[in-house]
């Protein structure tokens, strides 16, 4: 009887009214979490707002926002990005502990976009730590990205760079400006395409279909996704259009890769070639041969192959392009460094018509320039996730906490680097500090087991492209613009790139461009051959003036045109400047 009266009283209230029940459940859930974490010693954290947490304190440039916040709250800082606890690390020592020493921080956050694009995160970058990841990385390290394989692809680099040099030279002859950003993205895409897929895939209209799709995929990886931060609000991604765009790009990418794999299998059946050491083999060939020969410790499905191939392509293209773009921008901004690098390149190469891999290995200052670029403009922030609750620096770290090691801030730390905000390649001369993860203050590609396996491949491509750009051309800002006026702003989209596209006008047409790409001009390097003395032309000698592909004319060497020749500045559409 008493129980019946109690039930009638309870049922007469509005507790089951949806308008009452939802806030009540949310309150209970909040109190439960509060009680659960009450006794935890969590890292310092900025004040947060209900529901969104600290999202409002992180702008479009999270690497800069994180550094500003860490200066106030310390090098180990806990943010709440919606419902996702995020640990931001701005200390080299703590970063090493996470990337190298701590076994618990070996997972990667599996975000929605990566899960869709990489077939359930079965690539290498986002794959869950375990047997599959170990075997997949082993394939990359021992089969795809060895020193031997990198050398085998030197011919690819030489051919694509030769085409790039020819395109730049034609722009010089036409008197047009060089679209640097577009040029560097194209060369990075072409090198990676031929190495990974075997050739550069273009649409029938001439547009680079796969390049466009991979760029959209990269943009999606850096986009804001509600499901990643608010577990129960994934439906909002449908309203914003992210879900449909992700599905469309993913379907197109997978259909394209299915066709690539089918084409490779057909070629393998026709050729009957089982020599996987051939220099003509690309990554797809190598993976398919390993799969067909049963030499793998794991069974790779078609989706696994597509995930690994896409991982290689997207990761390689964007990293190389960003490194090249930042390096060219810094060289243009610092003419004295540009001059020193050019003098080394031209001294090493001499009068040869092509630059070899051996030549690049002797360009020690050029290597320092690339190292300094990767220091000042770290491509990524290293992401990790702890698989279980752990202790770090005396603080309690809850399980499934996203960890971001802000390498961009660490590599600009004035406590670790002299004149940290300045571009000084000389700091790496006679220095053992390298980017392969052995030095805690310098980890642009990460470190430890989940460090980037493609360092050698990426750096080899970047160095070879830069050597050719510096050897064949002089680069400067047009219209007497000051070097210090060059805009060095950046933007964040997984990889930290130079400033976003702006809109400008060319004649009657509107064009989208990167400001830096419009501010750089190149002048073709002059080749002078003396009819009397091949290596040391003297005053009065008959000479021939030509570029690599174009004969200019026969002249007599005078003191006036000798000064112009020594300056390596020749205007091919103004021949009178070199006539007697």
């Amino acid at each position: 009887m008493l129980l019946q009266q109690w039930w009638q009283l309870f049922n007469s209230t509005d507790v089951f009214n949806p308008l009452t029940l939802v806030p009540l459940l949310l309150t209970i859930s909040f109190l439960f979490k509060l009680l659960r974490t009450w006794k935890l010693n969590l890292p310092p954290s900025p004040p947060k707002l209900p529901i969104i947490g600290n999202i409002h304190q992180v702008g479009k440039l999270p690497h800069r926002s994180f550094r500003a916040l860490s200066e106030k709250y310390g090098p180990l800082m806990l943010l709440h990005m919606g419902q996702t606890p995020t640990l931001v690390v701005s200390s080299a020592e703590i970063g090493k502990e996470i990337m190298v020493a701590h076994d618990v921080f070996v997972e990667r956050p599996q975000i929605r976009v990566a899960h869709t694009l990489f077939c359930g995160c079965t690539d290498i970058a986002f794959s869950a730590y375990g047997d599959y990841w170990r075997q997949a990385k082993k394939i990359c390290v021992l089969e795809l990205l060895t020193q031997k394989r990198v050398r085998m692809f030197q011919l690819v680099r030489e051919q694509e760079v030769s085409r790039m040099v020819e395109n730049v030279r034609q722009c010089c002859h036409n008197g047009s400006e060089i679209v640097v950003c577009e040029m560097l993205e194209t060369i990075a895409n072409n090198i990676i395409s031929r190495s990974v897929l075997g050739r550069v895939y273009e649409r029938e209209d001439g547009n680079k279909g796969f390049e466009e799709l991979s760029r959209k995929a990269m943009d999606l990886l850096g986009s804001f996704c509600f499901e990643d931060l608010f577990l129960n609000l994934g439906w909002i991604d449908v309203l914003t259009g992210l879900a449909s765009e992700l599905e469309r790009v993913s379907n197109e990418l997978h259909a394209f890769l299915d066709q690539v794999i089918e084409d490779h299998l057909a070629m393998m059946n026709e050729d009957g070639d089982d020599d996987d050491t051939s220099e003509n083999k690309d990554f797809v060939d190598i993976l398919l041969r390993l799969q067909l020969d049963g030499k793998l410790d794991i069974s790779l499905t078609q989706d696994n192959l597509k995930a690994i191939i896409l991982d290689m392509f997207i990761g390689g293209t964007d990293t190389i392009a960003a490194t090249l773009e930042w390096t060219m921008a810094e060289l243009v901004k610092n003419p004295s460094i540009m001059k020193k690098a050019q003098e080394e390149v031209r001294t090493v190469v001499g009068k040869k018509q092509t630059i070899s891999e051996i030549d690049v290995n002797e360009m020690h200052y050029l290597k320092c320039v690339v190292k300094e670029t990767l220091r000042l403009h770290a491509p990524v922030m290293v992401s990790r996730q702890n698989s279980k609750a752990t202790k770090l620096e005396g603080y309690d770290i809850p399980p499934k906490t996203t960890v971001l090691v802000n390498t961009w801030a660490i590599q600009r730390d004035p406590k670790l680097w002299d004149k940290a905000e300045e571009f000084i390649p000389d700091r790496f001369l006679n220095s053992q500090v390298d980017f392969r993860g052995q030095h805690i203050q310098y980890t642009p590609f990460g470190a430890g087991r989940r460090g980037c396996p493609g360092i050698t491949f990426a750096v080899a491509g970047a160095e070879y492209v830069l050597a050719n750009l510096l050897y064949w051309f002089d680069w400067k800002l047009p219209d007497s613009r000051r070097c210090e006026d060059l805009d060095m702003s950046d933007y964040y989209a997984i990889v930290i790139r130079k400033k976003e596209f702006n809109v400008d006008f060319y004649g009657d047409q509107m064009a989208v461009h990167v400001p830096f790409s419009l501010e750089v001009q190149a002048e073709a390097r002059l080749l002078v051959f003396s009819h009397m003395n091949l290596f040391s032309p003297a005053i009065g000698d008959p000479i021939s003036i030509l570029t690599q592909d174009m004969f200019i004319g026969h002249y007599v060497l005078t003191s006036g045109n000798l000064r112009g020749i020594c300056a390596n500045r020749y205007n091919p559409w103004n021949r009178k400047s070199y006539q007697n």
Side-chain angles (χ1 to χ4, degrees):
M1 187 68 179
L2 183 61
L3 182 61
Q4 184 179 5
Q5 291 178 350
W6 176 83
W7 173 251
Q8 291 175 350
L9 177 64
F10 185 76
N11 196 40
S12 64
T13 64
D14 293 331
V15 70
F16 290 107
N17 188 320
L19 297 177
T20 306
L21 184 60
V22 173
L24 178 62
L25 292 177
L26 290 175
T27 303
I28 293 174
S29 176
F30 174 76
L31 291 175
F32 178 76
K33 290 183 179 180
L34 186 64
L35 290 173
R36 190 174 58 181
T37 60
W38 187 263
K39 296 182 180 180
L40 295 179
N41 180 28
L42 299 174
S45 179
K48 60 181 179 179
L49 295 178
I51 302 177
I52 66 171
N54 301 108
I55 291 178
H56 65 293
Q57 295 169 305
V58 181
K60 294 183 178 180
L61 303 175
H63 53 293
R64 294 182 180 273
S65 300
F66 291 156
R67 183 174 69 167
L69 289 170
S70 67
E71 290 174 353
K72 183 176 182 180
Y73 295 97
L76 190 64
M77 174 179 60
L78 182 64
L79 301 180
H80 294 84
M81 308 300 289
Q83 297 175 336
T84 304
T86 303
L87 191 67
V88 178
V89 178
S90 303
S91 162
E93 292 79 9
I94 304 175
K96 179 182 179 182
E97 191 173 350
I98 289 172
M99 291 186 286
V100 180
H102 248 299
D103 290 337
V104 74
F105 292 104
V106 291
E107 296 288 355
R108 281 273 176 85
Q110 296 191 1
I111 60 177
R112 175 179 183 173
V113 173
H115 194 274
T116 302
L117 291 177
F118 299 111
C119 306
C121 289
T122 55
D123 60 329
I124 298 172
F126 292 95
S127 176
Y129 184 77
D131 289 338
Y132 174 83
W133 175 85
R134 280 189 288 267
Q135 294 302 322
K137 184 171 184 181
K138 180 180 176 181
I139 293 170
C140 291
V141 172
L142 299 182
E143 300 290 345
L144 302 180
L145 298 170
T146 62
Q147 289 279 1
K148 181 180 179 181
R149 292 290 185 193
V150 173
R151 287 194 298 270
M152 282 184 177
F153 289 119
Q154 178 62 21
L155 179 60
V156 170
R157 291 190 286 271
E158 290 177 357
Q159 292 174 344
E160 291 303 326
V161 169
S162 178
R163 292 188 181 95
M164 176 195 69
V165 170
E166 174 63 23
N167 291 336
V168 175
R169 184 175 289 113
Q170 289 301 320
C171 290
C172 296
H173 293 171
N174 298 332
S176 57
E177 293 173 327
I178 309 300
V179 186
V180 175
C181 176
E182 179 180 319
M183 175 187 71
L184 297 179
E185 285 190 351
T186 298
I187 185 64
N189 171 79
N190 290 354
I191 290 175
I192 297 295
S193 287
R194 291 189 58 188
S195 301
V196 176
L197 308 176
R199 67 182 179 91
V200 178
Y201 283 83
E202 298 181 348
R203 292 176 177 171
E204 294 181 357
D205 57 5
N207 293 323
K208 293 180 173 58
F210 192 55
E211 180 182 0
E212 295 173 0
L213 285 174
S214 64
R215 166 56 53 192
K216 291 178 181 178
M218 199 68 185
D219 291 340
L220 285 170
L221 285 168
S223 61
F224 184 90
C225 179
F226 277 90
E227 184 176 303
D228 294 335
L229 304 182
F230 304 93
L231 186 60
N232 299 319
L233 297 182
W235 55 272
I236 298 183
D237 293 322
V238 177
L239 302 181
T240 62
L242 174 67
S244 59
E245 178 69 4
L246 175 59
E247 191 69 21
R248 184 186 66 81
V249 172
S250 177
N251 289 339
E252 290 185 23
L253 277 172
H254 293 169
F256 172 83
L257 291 174
D258 283 331
Q259 186 62 50
V260 169
I261 293 173
E262 184 178 330
D263 292 344
H264 278 70
L265 286 172
M267 289 290 292
M268 291 171 65
N269 292 332
E270 290 178 8
D271 297 341
D273 181 13
D274 59 357
D275 180 13
D276 66 305
T277 63
S278 170
E279 294 186 9
N280 296 324
K281 297 295 182 181
D282 53 64
F283 286 5
V284 177
D285 286 324
I286 298 167
L287 286 171
L288 288 175
R289 178 57 59 192
L290 290 171
Q291 182 191 47
L292 294 175
D293 290 348
K295 294 181 179 180
L296 302 177
D297 295 331
I298 56 175
S299 176
L300 288 180
T301 66
Q302 182 96 337
D303 283 348
N304 298 154
L305 289 174
K306 290 188 293 184
I308 294 174
I309 293 167
L310 186 59
D311 196 1
M312 293 286 178
F313 190 92
I314 292 180
T317 300
D318 233 49
T319 301
I320 293 176
T323 301
L324 288 171
E325 187 177 343
W326 280 120
T327 304
M328 287 300 295
E330 289 291 356
L331 289 175
V332 171
K333 192 175 179 67
N334 299 273
S336 61
I337 297 175
M338 167 91 79
K339 180 181 179 181
K340 187 173 180 178
Q342 278 185 319
E343 288 176 349
E344 179 192 59
V345 170
R346 292 171 179 177
T347 298
V348 170
V349 179
K351 297 180 182 295
K352 291 186 293 185
Q353 293 297 297
T354 58
I355 300 175
S356 68
E357 183 182 7
I358 296 175
D359 294 330
V360 176
N361 290 334
E362 295 178 9
M363 299 174 188
H364 304 296
Y365 191 71
L366 178 67
K367 292 180 180 293
C368 292
V369 169
V370 174
K371 284 183 179 181
E372 179 68 351
T373 299
L374 291 171
R375 181 198 68 82
L376 196 60
H377 305 286
V380 297
M381 289 191 292
V382 177
S383 63
R384 294 286 190 273
Q385 189 179 72
N386 58 323
S387 55
K388 59 183 179 181
T390 187
K391 285 272 191 179
L392 185 64
E393 295 293 302
Y395 295 109
D396 296 308
I397 309 300
K400 300 295 183 180
T401 296
T402 296
V403 181
L404 294 176
V405 181
N406 193 353
T407 51
W408 182 88
I410 293 172
Q411 294 178 181
R412 290 173 176 242
D413 188 346
K415 297 177 183 177
L416 302 173
W417 304 90
D418 184 37
K419 298 180 180 178
E421 295 290 337
E422 298 182 24
F423 187 76
I424 310 175
D426 296 70
R427 75 173 81 243
F428 288 102
L429 289 173
N430 302 317
S431 172
Q432 298 299 317
V433 177
D434 203 353
F435 42 59
R436 300 184 185 277
Q438 303 301 316
H439 302 87
I440 60 174
Q441 74 273 33
Y442 187 47
T443 55
F445 296 101
R449 278 172 281 187
R450 298 215 70 145
C452 175
I455 298 175
T456 301
F457 186 92
V459 173
E463 289 177 347
Y464 190 75
V465 172
L466 289 169
N468 277 271
L469 290 175
L470 295 179
Y471 178 72
W472 289 110
F473 307 101
D474 291 325
W475 300 83
K476 67 177 183 179
L477 292 175
D479 305 325
S480 301
R481 297 213 27 207
R482 298 187 307 167
C483 299
E484 53 267 28
D485 292 337
L486 183 61
D487 185 7
M488 300 296 284
S489 302
D490 56 15
Y491 74 98
Y492 183 83
I494 296 297
V495 172
I496 301 172
R497 298 292 300 269
K498 229 180 149 294
K499 191 177 181 180
E500 282 185 323
F501 295 101
N502 291 329
V503 176
D504 200 4
F505 289 87
Y506 285 89
D508 297 329
Q509 295 182 343
M510 185 174 70
V512 179
H513 67 276
V514 172
F516 166 59
S517 66
L518 296 177
E519 294 174 343
V520 179
Q521 289 180 329
E523 299 176 348
R525 189 172 185 230
L526 178 66
L527 298 179
V528 179
F529 289 89
S530 169
H531 294 233
M532 306 293 293
N533 189 330
L534 179 61
F535 299 106
S536 301
I539 302 298
D541 280 355
I543 61 173
S544 295
I545 298 179
L546 62 156
T547 62
Q548 187 179 18
D549 67 327
M550 178 178 178
F551 173 73
I552 305 301
H554 298 294
Y555 307 98
V556 174
L557 186 62
T558 66
S559 59
N561 60 34
L562 178 62
R563 286 193 296 272
I565 291 169
C566 293
N568 288 311
R569 287 179 171 80
Y570 173 71
N571 187 342
W573 52 85
N574 183 13
R575 300 184 183 183
K576 293 182 180 180
S577 61
Y578 285 94
Q579 293 183 6
N580 186 7

